[in-house]
PDB file of all heavy atoms in Angstrom:
ATOM      1  N   GLN S  10       9.634  -6.553   1.356  1.00 37.00           N
ATOM      2  CA  GLN S  10       9.108  -7.592   0.475  1.00 37.00           C
ATOM      3  C   GLN S  10       8.952  -8.889   1.257  1.00 37.00           C
ATOM      4  O   GLN S  10       9.919  -9.506   1.673  1.00 37.00           O
ATOM      5  CB  GLN S  10      10.068  -7.799  -0.696  1.00 37.00           C
ATOM      6  CG  GLN S  10      10.287  -6.537  -1.508  1.00 37.00           C
ATOM      7  CD  GLN S  10      11.340  -6.719  -2.564  1.00 37.00           C
ATOM      8  OE1 GLN S  10      11.712  -7.843  -2.865  1.00 37.00           O
ATOM      9  NE2 GLN S  10      11.843  -5.634  -3.122  1.00 37.00           N
ATOM     10  N   ILE S  11       7.692  -9.312   1.437  1.00 37.00           N
ATOM     11  CA  ILE S  11       7.411 -10.528   2.190  1.00 37.00           C
ATOM     12  C   ILE S  11       6.202 -11.222   1.598  1.00 37.00           C
ATOM     13  O   ILE S  11       5.483 -10.678   0.786  1.00 37.00           O
ATOM     14  CB  ILE S  11       7.145 -10.236   3.682  1.00 37.00           C
ATOM     15  CG1 ILE S  11       5.931  -9.314   3.809  1.00 37.00           C
ATOM     16  CG2 ILE S  11       8.346  -9.650   4.356  1.00 37.00           C
ATOM     17  CD1 ILE S  11       5.482  -9.100   5.232  1.00 37.00           C
ATOM     18  N   SER S  12       5.959 -12.434   2.035  1.00 38.00           N
ATOM     19  CA  SER S  12       4.700 -13.107   1.716  1.00 38.00           C
ATOM     20  C   SER S  12       4.124 -13.660   3.008  1.00 38.00           C
ATOM     21  O   SER S  12       4.842 -13.911   3.957  1.00 38.00           O
ATOM     22  CB  SER S  12       4.928 -14.237   0.703  1.00 38.00           C
ATOM     23  OG  SER S  12       5.759 -15.218   1.254  1.00 38.00           O
ATOM     24  N   PHE S  13       2.826 -13.810   3.044  1.00 36.00           N
ATOM     25  CA  PHE S  13       2.159 -14.177   4.294  1.00 36.00           C
ATOM     26  C   PHE S  13       1.038 -15.155   3.989  1.00 36.00           C
ATOM     27  O   PHE S  13       0.360 -15.011   2.988  1.00 36.00           O
ATOM     28  CB  PHE S  13       1.605 -12.897   4.924  1.00 36.00           C
ATOM     29  CG  PHE S  13       1.261 -13.019   6.380  1.00 36.00           C
ATOM     30  CD1 PHE S  13       2.238 -12.876   7.336  1.00 36.00           C
ATOM     31  CD2 PHE S  13      -0.036 -13.264   6.756  1.00 36.00           C
ATOM     32  CE1 PHE S  13       1.912 -12.974   8.672  1.00 36.00           C
ATOM     33  CE2 PHE S  13      -0.359 -13.361   8.095  1.00 36.00           C
ATOM     34  CZ  PHE S  13       0.618 -13.212   9.050  1.00 36.00           C
ATOM     35  N   ARG S  14       0.848 -16.130   4.830  1.00 39.00           N
ATOM     36  CA  ARG S  14      -0.179 -17.149   4.585  1.00 39.00           C
ATOM     37  C   ARG S  14      -1.031 -17.312   5.827  1.00 39.00           C
ATOM     38  O   ARG S  14      -0.525 -17.503   6.912  1.00 39.00           O
ATOM     39  CB  ARG S  14       0.493 -18.468   4.225  1.00 39.00           C
ATOM     40  CG  ARG S  14      -0.452 -19.441   3.512  1.00 39.00           C
ATOM     41  CD  ARG S  14       0.325 -20.653   2.998  1.00 39.00           C
ATOM     42  NE  ARG S  14      -0.485 -21.487   2.181  1.00 39.00           N
ATOM     43  CZ  ARG S  14      -0.609 -21.359   0.886  1.00 39.00           C
ATOM     44  NH1 ARG S  14       0.032 -20.389   0.259  1.00 39.00           N
ATOM     45  NH2 ARG S  14      -1.381 -22.175   0.195  1.00 39.00           N
ATOM     46  N   LEU S  15      -2.329 -17.238   5.665  1.00 35.00           N
ATOM     47  CA  LEU S  15      -3.259 -17.346   6.777  1.00 35.00           C
ATOM     48  C   LEU S  15      -4.364 -18.331   6.426  1.00 35.00           C
ATOM     49  O   LEU S  15      -4.730 -18.480   5.271  1.00 35.00           O
ATOM     50  CB  LEU S  15      -3.896 -15.970   7.070  1.00 35.00           C
ATOM     51  CG  LEU S  15      -2.955 -14.830   7.450  1.00 35.00           C
ATOM     52  CD1 LEU S  15      -3.747 -13.515   7.449  1.00 35.00           C
ATOM     53  CD2 LEU S  15      -2.370 -15.071   8.810  1.00 35.00           C
ATOM     54  N   ALA S  16      -4.904 -18.987   7.451  1.00 30.00           N
ATOM     55  CA  ALA S  16      -6.032 -19.891   7.235  1.00 30.00           C
ATOM     56  C   ALA S  16      -7.321 -19.090   7.091  1.00 30.00           C
ATOM     57  O   ALA S  16      -7.562 -18.138   7.791  1.00 30.00           O
ATOM     58  CB  ALA S  16      -6.152 -20.848   8.422  1.00 30.00           C
ATOM     59  N   LEU S  17      -8.162 -19.512   6.163  1.00 29.00           N
ATOM     60  CA  LEU S  17      -9.435 -18.819   5.932  1.00 29.00           C
ATOM     61  C   LEU S  17     -10.343 -19.733   5.125  1.00 29.00           C
ATOM     62  O   LEU S  17      -9.879 -20.423   4.243  1.00 29.00           O
ATOM     63  CB  LEU S  17      -9.204 -17.489   5.193  1.00 29.00           C
ATOM     64  CG  LEU S  17     -10.436 -16.660   4.894  1.00 29.00           C
ATOM     65  CD1 LEU S  17     -11.085 -16.201   6.200  1.00 29.00           C
ATOM     66  CD2 LEU S  17     -10.062 -15.455   4.060  1.00 29.00           C
ATOM     67  N   LEU S  18     -11.642 -19.762   5.439  1.00 26.00           N
ATOM     68  CA  LEU S  18     -12.580 -20.608   4.713  1.00 26.00           C
ATOM     69  C   LEU S  18     -13.700 -19.748   4.149  1.00 26.00           C
ATOM     70  O   LEU S  18     -14.760 -19.617   4.735  1.00 26.00           O
ATOM     71  CB  LEU S  18     -13.157 -21.692   5.637  1.00 26.00           C
ATOM     72  CG  LEU S  18     -14.053 -22.735   4.967  1.00 26.00           C
ATOM     73  CD1 LEU S  18     -13.277 -23.470   3.876  1.00 26.00           C
ATOM     74  CD2 LEU S  18     -14.587 -23.707   5.995  1.00 26.00           C
ATOM     75  N   ILE S  19     -13.440 -19.125   3.009  1.00 28.00           N
ATOM     76  CA  ILE S  19     -14.459 -18.380   2.289  1.00 28.00           C
ATOM     77  C   ILE S  19     -14.218 -18.550   0.806  1.00 28.00           C
ATOM     78  O   ILE S  19     -13.184 -19.067   0.396  1.00 28.00           O
ATOM     79  CB  ILE S  19     -14.461 -16.877   2.670  1.00 28.00           C
ATOM     80  CG1 ILE S  19     -13.078 -16.288   2.477  1.00 28.00           C
ATOM     81  CG2 ILE S  19     -14.934 -16.637   4.064  1.00 28.00           C
ATOM     82  CD1 ILE S  19     -12.999 -14.815   2.829  1.00 28.00           C
ATOM     83  N   PHE S  20     -15.158 -18.139   0.000  1.00 28.00           N
ATOM     84  CA  PHE S  20     -15.110 -18.390  -1.443  1.00 28.00           C
ATOM     85  C   PHE S  20     -14.727 -17.140  -2.217  1.00 28.00           C
ATOM     86  O   PHE S  20     -15.084 -16.039  -1.830  1.00 28.00           O
ATOM     87  CB  PHE S  20     -16.489 -18.871  -1.919  1.00 28.00           C
ATOM     88  CG  PHE S  20     -16.501 -19.362  -3.331  1.00 28.00           C
ATOM     89  CD1 PHE S  20     -15.990 -20.601  -3.649  1.00 28.00           C
ATOM     90  CD2 PHE S  20     -17.028 -18.568  -4.333  1.00 28.00           C
ATOM     91  CE1 PHE S  20     -16.010 -21.046  -4.946  1.00 28.00           C
ATOM     92  CE2 PHE S  20     -17.046 -19.012  -5.637  1.00 28.00           C
ATOM     93  CZ  PHE S  20     -16.533 -20.258  -5.943  1.00 28.00           C
ATOM     94  N   ILE S  21     -13.967 -17.289  -3.305  1.00 29.00           N
ATOM     95  CA  ILE S  21     -13.569 -16.152  -4.124  1.00 29.00           C
ATOM     96  C   ILE S  21     -14.794 -15.562  -4.813  1.00 29.00           C
ATOM     97  O   ILE S  21     -15.590 -16.267  -5.381  1.00 29.00           O
ATOM     98  CB  ILE S  21     -12.553 -16.576  -5.203  1.00 29.00           C
ATOM     99  CG1 ILE S  21     -11.253 -17.033  -4.547  1.00 29.00           C
ATOM    100  CG2 ILE S  21     -12.264 -15.438  -6.175  1.00 29.00           C
ATOM    101  CD1 ILE S  21     -10.225 -17.519  -5.545  1.00 29.00           C
ATOM    102  N   SER S  22     -14.911 -14.273  -4.764  1.00 32.00           N
ATOM    103  CA  SER S  22     -15.934 -13.561  -5.528  1.00 32.00           C
ATOM    104  C   SER S  22     -15.405 -12.176  -5.832  1.00 32.00           C
ATOM    105  O   SER S  22     -14.249 -11.889  -5.579  1.00 32.00           O
ATOM    106  CB  SER S  22     -17.254 -13.492  -4.747  1.00 32.00           C
ATOM    107  OG  SER S  22     -17.099 -12.695  -3.610  1.00 32.00           O
ATOM    108  N   SER S  23     -16.246 -11.332  -6.388  1.00 34.00           N
ATOM    109  CA  SER S  23     -15.777 -10.000  -6.769  1.00 34.00           C
ATOM    110  C   SER S  23     -15.577  -9.123  -5.551  1.00 34.00           C
ATOM    111  O   SER S  23     -16.088  -9.397  -4.470  1.00 34.00           O
ATOM    112  CB  SER S  23     -16.790  -9.338  -7.712  1.00 34.00           C
ATOM    113  OG  SER S  23     -18.027  -9.229  -7.039  1.00 34.00           O
ATOM    114  N   ILE S  24     -14.821  -8.030  -5.756  1.00 36.00           N
ATOM    115  CA  ILE S  24     -14.556  -7.069  -4.685  1.00 36.00           C
ATOM    116  C   ILE S  24     -15.784  -6.174  -4.529  1.00 36.00           C
ATOM    117  O   ILE S  24     -16.265  -5.598  -5.486  1.00 36.00           O
ATOM    118  CB  ILE S  24     -13.332  -6.218  -5.014  1.00 36.00           C
ATOM    119  CG1 ILE S  24     -12.096  -7.111  -5.089  1.00 36.00           C
ATOM    120  CG2 ILE S  24     -13.132  -5.107  -4.005  1.00 36.00           C
ATOM    121  CD1 ILE S  24     -10.870  -6.383  -5.541  1.00 36.00           C
ATOM    122  N   LEU S  25     -16.287  -6.057  -3.317  1.00 36.00           N
ATOM    123  CA  LEU S  25     -17.468  -5.255  -3.047  1.00 36.00           C
ATOM    124  C   LEU S  25     -17.090  -4.083  -2.162  1.00 36.00           C
ATOM    125  O   LEU S  25     -16.208  -4.186  -1.315  1.00 36.00           O
ATOM    126  CB  LEU S  25     -18.541  -6.116  -2.338  1.00 36.00           C
ATOM    127  CG  LEU S  25     -18.978  -7.357  -3.103  1.00 36.00           C
ATOM    128  CD1 LEU S  25     -19.937  -8.168  -2.245  1.00 36.00           C
ATOM    129  CD2 LEU S  25     -19.647  -6.967  -4.420  1.00 36.00           C
ATOM    130  N   TYR S  26     -17.744  -2.972  -2.376  1.00 36.00           N
ATOM    131  CA  TYR S  26     -17.420  -1.751  -1.642  1.00 36.00           C
ATOM    132  C   TYR S  26     -18.411  -1.489  -0.510  1.00 36.00           C
ATOM    133  O   TYR S  26     -19.591  -1.698  -0.633  1.00 36.00           O
ATOM    134  CB  TYR S  26     -17.429  -0.553  -2.589  1.00 36.00           C
ATOM    135  CG  TYR S  26     -17.273   0.766  -1.882  1.00 36.00           C
ATOM    136  CD1 TYR S  26     -16.022   1.200  -1.490  1.00 36.00           C
ATOM    137  CD2 TYR S  26     -18.385   1.548  -1.602  1.00 36.00           C
ATOM    138  CE1 TYR S  26     -15.869   2.410  -0.830  1.00 36.00           C
ATOM    139  CE2 TYR S  26     -18.240   2.751  -0.940  1.00 36.00           C
ATOM    140  CZ  TYR S  26     -16.980   3.173  -0.558  1.00 36.00           C
ATOM    141  OH  TYR S  26     -16.848   4.364   0.090  1.00 36.00           O
ATOM    142  N   SER S  27     -17.869  -1.044   0.604  1.00 37.00           N
ATOM    143  CA  SER S  27     -18.696  -0.546   1.693  1.00 37.00           C
ATOM    144  C   SER S  27     -17.889   0.529   2.400  1.00 37.00           C
ATOM    145  O   SER S  27     -16.771   0.803   2.034  1.00 37.00           O
ATOM    146  CB  SER S  27     -19.051  -1.687   2.664  1.00 37.00           C
ATOM    147  OG  SER S  27     -17.898  -2.181   3.286  1.00 37.00           O
ATOM    148  N   SER S  28     -18.451   1.138   3.418  1.00 33.00           N
ATOM    149  CA  SER S  28     -17.705   2.172   4.129  1.00 33.00           C
ATOM    150  C   SER S  28     -17.503   1.759   5.576  1.00 33.00           C
ATOM    151  O   SER S  28     -18.281   1.025   6.154  1.00 33.00           O
ATOM    152  CB  SER S  28     -18.450   3.506   4.084  1.00 33.00           C
ATOM    153  OG  SER S  28     -19.692   3.381   4.735  1.00 33.00           O
TER     154      SER S  28
END
Side-chain angles (χ1 to χ4, degrees):
Q10 301 174 15
I11 61 173
S12 63
F13 198 83
R14 199 172 188 90
L15 300 170
L17 180 64
L18 186 59
I19 54 180
F20 189 76
I21 295 178
S22 67
S23 60
I24 296 174
L25 302 175
Y26 173 80
S27 64
S28 62

